[in-house]
Amino acid sequence: MAREFSRTDRVAQQVHKEVASILQNEYKHRIGDMPLITVSGVEVSRDLAHAKIYVTIYNSTEQESKEQIKQLAEFKGFIRSILAKRLRMRSVPDLHFFEDKSIIEGMRISNLVSQTIAADESKRGSDESEESKEQE
């Protein structure tokens, strides 16, 4: 019987869960005031030596986001040490943090579409009222 997930997928899923928990609990208390950070994805290399962690940073400017990614990179040893205690693996992957802008970009596009639809509806409503005035 074939396994449904490869080992790298299972490790990536476990790393995702644990890093999200670490960022929400331990890291947040250590840093203090910080924007909302969400782990949006994790990719683990085939040899399980490296993990690319994609994070979404809400309510921050581009400069603040870059600083936050830099700060995560500085604290990766701390995060990795906690991760090592939680994972049942001989060696823990080296962590590499990247900003994932896809969620924020999707929200921006969705807002633009909503604004365009609302503008079209208001324009259609004003056009219909002008036509009814002309008919009278």
Side-chain angles (χ1 to χ4, degrees):
M1 185 170 163
R3 290 182 289 194
E4 291 185 28
F5 299 105
S6 67
R7 179 168 170 81
T8 56
D9 290 340
R10 291 192 309 261
V11 170
Q13 188 177 28
Q14 188 68 25
V15 168
H16 183 162
K17 179 180 136 189
E18 296 300 338
V19 169
S21 173
I22 291 167
L23 289 180
Q24 189 173 28
N25 299 321
E26 285 86 359
Y27 179 73
K28 192 173 193 176
H29 294 306
R30 187 161 211 160
I31 301 303
D33 188 33
M34 60 180 250
L36 180 64
I37 298 177
T38 303
V39 177
S40 55
V42 174
E43 292 178 5
V44 178
S45 63
R46 286 189 65 156
D47 63 354
L48 305 177
H50 300 278
K52 290 182 181 179
I53 301 173
Y54 297 96
V55 294
T56 302
I57 302 170
Y58 296 99
N59 300 330
S60 64
T61 63
E62 190 161 333
Q63 182 65 27
E64 291 172 341
S65 296
K66 287 181 181 179
E67 289 174 12
Q68 196 65 42
I69 293 294
K70 190 175 180 181
Q71 193 172 31
L72 282 169
E74 290 173 5
F75 277 88
K76 76 178 182 180
F78 168 73
I79 296 168
R80 189 173 179 217
S81 68
I82 295 173
L83 188 63
K85 294 174 186 172
R86 294 185 182 184
L87 293 180
R88 298 184 66 192
M89 293 178 61
R90 185 170 292 172
S91 65
V92 178
D94 189 26
L95 307 178
H96 307 279
F97 291 95
F98 298 95
E99 185 177 6
D100 182 14
K101 296 182 180 182
S102 62
I103 295 174
I104 294 173
E105 189 65 17
M107 289 170 38
R108 186 184 73 80
I109 291 172
S110 177
N111 287 338
L112 287 174
V113 169
S114 298
Q115 290 173 357
T116 304
I117 290 173
D120 287 348
E121 290 292 326
S122 65
K123 190 182 271 188
R124 185 177 302 137
S126 64
D127 289 346
E128 288 175 2
S129 63
E130 287 178 11
E131 288 177 10
S132 63
K133 286 180 184 178
E134 289 176 4
Q135 289 178 355
E136 293 176 357

